[in-house]
Amino acid sequence: DHSLMHDTIIILDYGSQYAQLIARRVREANVYCELLPWQTPVETALALRPKGFILSGGPNSVYDPGAPALPDYVLDAGVPVLGICYGMQLLAHRLGGRVAHSARREYGPAALVVDEADEPLFAGWDAGDGRGEPVWMSHGDKVEALPPGYRPIAHSDNSPYAAAANAQRGHYAVQFHPEVVHTPRGRVLLSNFVHRICGCRPDWTPANVIDAQTAAIRQQVGDGRVVLGLSGGVDSAVAAALMHRAIGDQLTCIFVDTGLLRLGEATQVVQTFQQEQGIRLVAVNAVEEYLEALTGVTDPEQKRRVIGEKFVRVFEREARRLGHIDFLAQGTIYPDVIESAGSGRGAAHVIKTHHNVGGLPDDMQFQLVEPLRMLFKDEVRRLGTALGLPDSLVWRQPFPGPGLAVRCLGEVTWERLERLRAADSIFVAELAAADLLREGTQQAFAVLLPVRSVGVMGDGRTYQEVVALRAVTTEDFMTADWARLPYDLLARVSRRIVNEVPGVNRVVFDITSKPPGTIEWE
Ligand code: XMP
């Protein structure tokens, strides 16, 4: 339980699409926080011994019937409170101010003029030139009269009360969104709130997290035995390294080579974990089994089902071979936890069904260990680096659970998989050489199409398969745009694939955004 070891901020989620961003900003200020639904009961909230509350924005009006409310404990706990947007309106409404209902939204940039430069909330805001700092507004209703004891501390053209405070009670409220990138100094504001106003120590660092988590894992596991399924992805890799740091040889990892991984990936996993990290690792060669199960399967959903079932069967078989096992460790991360706890937001991604080792048979009674359950992806990566995992693993782009099967359109055969692997590795190598793998694209890969086209090679006619290149930029993988890759890079990749990969005579580039396309082709 992190709250026992770290100063903790509670963020109450009122349904803002930015709520997770608030939490990430607080964590970036090296302060531990939890994002909880606004309905969270008092016992749960106070058990975390919060040093402050942040109230998120949200889509409602305080005048809506059944509008999300402000729990009493927020006001009674006697710790600082920061209300953002709807959070500000809630405070005003509750404490005797007035909120004006408006059907019209103010959406977009505004200039914030700080009126009280001494306010700790605005330390480092560089006020005083009278021109204001850019901030992002997105609200309908707004506060028209402040509650008693509150005073305005910043304004914008549209909002006389763009920020307000009751410093005595440690109450702060802002109409704009400090958590989004369009408010460039928003990070400073949130950092000021948690450090200067709530008095939190900056103790949420990778080294501290490792210490705290290894202690927690040891306590949970005792001298029990733990099994963990390594997929080759970042989350399970970092979970494995952390578990190993905590309990050494009580951990056994199972890595299933499905034949559906990218070039060199299976070897890298064994190399990194078995040889470099010294982790007990069972590497299972299940390539034949998977190929057999996939014979004749071309429907995308059917592929996913076949692969999911196969995984459960292989994993179960191998785990049984290990004898008595008490725990199953998983690389579940905080966004998954938030989504499933839910505050009524986004039932969106049904798609990630195979993400974790989920549906193991009922008679395999493991207890779960989820050491990354409170971490965001960027924190998981930092932890991985601190645990000594190589960049090539830590900064790996996401890879779907069903692997290359959903990038090998049509039937999945060994020959076609090898063709796809070769093309993909050329594309990725060229992107890496151009330094476009970490920032320029969030996901980039090759897809083998179930189409043949005519070409000419030397003096001969060819009739071979087509490779599509997919490269996207995205913040959250829910929406994405196709990456504007340089033409000469595309030309080089195309030339190399056609020359170096037997059976491919044509390369195309996917210029579809998401929506309406998805990132993967299946
Ligand atoms: P789509 O194709 O839906 O993908 O735009 C969004 C993100 O999810 C990944 N993805 C999957 N991940 N199991 C996974 O673990 C799956 O079945 C799966 N399908 C898609 C995809 O790679 C992208 O990052």
Side-chain angles (χ1 to χ4, degrees), residues 25 36 42 64 110 124 136 202 207 220 238 279 352 355 363 423:
R25 297 290 168 261
L36 302 176
V42 56
D64 288 346
W136 188 256
Q220 185 187 357
V238 175
I279 292 181
K352 302 191 175 180
H355 195 72
D363 62 331

Side-chain angles (χ1 to χ4, degrees), residues 304 351-356 398-402 406-407 443 445 477-478 514 517-522:
R304 281 197 158 77
I351 214 147
K352 302 191 175 180
T353 33
H354 303 301
H355 195 72
N356 291 316
F399 187 63
V406 292
R407 296 178 179 172
Q443 220 174 352
F445 51 88
F477 298 90
M478 309 279 281
K514 171 185 179 174
T518 51
I519 297 174
E520 303 288 348
W521 278 45
E522 286 195 337

Side-chain angles (χ1 to χ4, degrees), residues 128-254:
D129 63 359
R131 277 184 296 133
E133 273 292 328
V135 297
W136 188 256
M137 293 285 187
S138 171
H139 61 104
D141 293 2
K142 72 176 180 192
V143 173
E144 214 170 48
L146 294 175
Y150 275 69
R151 60 198 169 78
I153 56 175
H155 71 271
S156 69
D157 279 351
N158 255 324
S159 301
Y161 305 133
N166 178 341
Q168 239 145 36
R169 289 189 76 176
H171 283 192
Y172 291 82
V174 293
Q175 186 57 75
F176 55 92
H177 288 273
E179 67 275 22
V180 303
V181 290
H182 311 295
T183 303
R185 288 198 190 267
R187 290 165 196 271
V188 178
L189 185 149
L190 288 166
S191 166
N192 287 341
F193 178 71
V194 298
H195 293 299
R196 291 169 190 261
I197 295 166
C198 301
C200 295
R201 287 163 302 180
D203 61 1
W204 181 253
T205 59
N208 284 341
V209 174
I210 292 172
D211 284 350
Q213 275 310 87
T214 47
I217 292 166
R218 284 186 195 129
Q219 187 175 6
Q220 185 187 357
V221 169
D223 53 13
R225 290 185 67 205
V226 183
V227 66
L228 181 150
L230 269 181
S231 68
V234 184
D235 302 341
S236 66
V238 175
L242 185 58
M243 294 295 299
H244 182 251
R245 170 86 53 112
I247 57 166
D249 281 350
Q250 286 167 256
L251 171 74
T252 305
C253 292
I254 296 178

Side-chain angles (χ1 to χ4, degrees), residues 84-146:
I84 297 174
C85 197
Y86 183 75
M88 174 186 209
Q89 292 152 20
L90 263 184
L91 281 172
H93 188 58
R94 171 66 169 275
L95 295 171
R98 195 168 65 249
V99 177
H101 191 44
S102 162
R104 222 193 73 236
R105 288 192 77 74
E106 180 186 9
Y107 183 83
L112 185 84
V113 178
V114 174
D115 301 310
E116 301 272 344
D118 293 343
E119 261 308 326
L121 193 67
F122 290 118
W125 265 62
D126 202 29
D129 63 359
R131 277 184 296 133
E133 273 292 328
V135 297
W136 188 256
M137 293 285 187
S138 171
H139 61 104
D141 293 2
K142 72 176 180 192
V143 173
E144 214 170 48
L146 294 175

